Amino acid sequence: MSELQANISGIIKSSVIDGPGNRMVIFFQGCNLNCMYCHNSHTIGLCNMCGLCVQNCPTQSLKIDASNKHIIHNTSTCTHCDSCLKNCPENSSPFYKKMTVDDLISEIIEVKNFISGITVSGGEVMLQAKFLHQLFTAVKKHPELNKLSILVDSNGNTEQNKWDLLLDWVDGFMLDIKAYSPQNHNRITGYANEKILKSIQYLNSENKLDEIRFVLVPGFNNDKAEIENISNLIQSLSPEVRKVLIKLRKHGIRDKYHYLSEPTQQEIEQAVKILKADKHQLIVI
């Protein structure tokens, strides 16, 4: 049996914005939502070898390796213009690669003395839960890495059995709530939110929910009733869970969603007023 591999979009070896301390962040390729305001939209899909990225590369830095079914990238001529990403109909990237647990352990060891932990993000990492289980057990059992904390950044759209696979190995999960009503959630992401709401409550009951985040999108999830429902959800969670309100920022989202509006200061203040109804801690970024 071949060794399990994961689709890895990229690795940031040092980050102070993806959890506490200085962390290595591993981005996984593939997502089961399609959020309008996604800032990592090139991590949503998987390459189907259609060749459009190759055709649209102005420096001819890409070519198809049909026999091995992957895109060859010439880093010496690439200017990082992102034409390949903008022209991909699958919201994918020609740059992600397959890596094994041993590959990632080697990457972590290189920076182990400079980081306090690792964060896995995406895309949606829980689509590759079996791989995560192997990676996390390897980290926690490694004599040089076992003191590193492990955080999972997820959209929550998964089943309980996948959470159970990882609970003993993860220090905390960071989840998003895009909208409370199924209708608004579908408008923003293209999918329902039943699994997400269940995941939030389940991880909270297991004392593994580290952070809950809500992105304010005017015209989609900022009416009073919607925010009141989000507030009720937040109030039901442990006080130890960080609660974060994020202002939609258009910079970095796909061109076709540039019609979205960034929230005004008045809209932010109104949301904060409702979300802080019970005086729980709220971080606004």
Side-chain angles (χ1 to χ4, degrees), residues 6 11 22 24 28 43 47 85 88 168 197 220 229 267 278:
I11 297 173
N22 189 25
M24 171 183 274
F28 285 64
T43 67
C47 177
L85 305 183
C88 179
D168 291 339
L197 294 174
F220 288 84
N229 283 327
E267 288 170 327
D278 69 336

Side-chain angles (χ1 to χ4, degrees), residues 51-80:
L52 282 176
C53 60
V54 175
Q55 297 172 28
N56 285 280
C57 179
T59 60
Q60 298 182 326
S61 298
L62 301 172
K63 66 178 182 178
I64 295 178
D65 180 352
S67 60
N68 293 306
K69 296 183 178 180
H70 76 274
I71 305 293
I72 298 174
H73 176 218
N74 187 338
T75 57
S76 64
T77 58
C78 176
T79 61
H80 303 284

Side-chain angles (χ1 to χ4, degrees), residues 115-257:
I115 59 175
S116 56
I118 65 170
T119 298
V120 294
S121 187
E124 175 46 47
V125 296
M126 295 303 292
L127 292 175
Q128 302 180 71
K130 290 183 179 179
F131 181 90
L132 291 180
H133 179 258
Q134 290 189 10
L135 174 63
F136 297 163
T137 54
V139 170
K140 291 298 186 179
K141 292 180 179 181
H142 196 289
E144 297 181 73
L145 305 179
N146 56 21
K147 292 184 180 180
L148 296 176
S149 64
I150 295 175
L151 295 178
V152 174
D153 187 341
S154 170
N155 64 32
N157 189 26
T158 194
E159 301 80 11
Q160 181 179 320
N161 66 314
K162 291 187 178 180
W163 301 122
D164 290 338
L165 187 63
L166 304 178
L167 284 179
D168 291 339
W169 307 99
V170 173
D171 295 280
F173 294 86
M174 302 182 291
L175 266 63
D176 296 320
I177 176 69
K178 319 290 185 180
Y180 190 86
S181 76
Q183 296 82 5
N184 287 340
H185 194 275
N186 188 278
R187 290 174 67 204
I188 293 171
T189 71
Y191 296 87
N193 63 349
E194 181 181 3
K195 291 180 182 178
I196 297 170
L197 294 174
K198 288 182 178 178
S199 293
I200 291 170
Q201 295 292 358
Y202 179 66
L203 293 176
N204 182 68
S205 70
E206 294 294 317
N207 296 315
K208 288 291 185 176
L209 185 61
D210 186 73
E211 180 176 282
I212 184 76
R213 296 170 304 228
F214 172 50
V215 178
L216 192 67
V217 186
F220 288 84
N221 63 8
N222 70 324
D223 64 86
K224 184 178 180 182
E226 184 72 15
I227 299 176
E228 284 177 343
N229 283 327
I230 297 291
S231 179
N232 291 334
L233 172 65
I234 288 176
Q235 291 175 42
S236 72
L237 303 177
S238 167
E240 284 73 33
V241 177
R242 284 191 303 276
K243 290 88 176 179
V244 183
L245 173 65
I246 302 175
K247 297 178 282 187
L248 169 69
R249 292 171 173 85
K250 293 169 65 171
H251 178 73
I253 68 174
R254 286 166 285 182
D255 289 345
K256 67 179 180 178
Y257 294 118

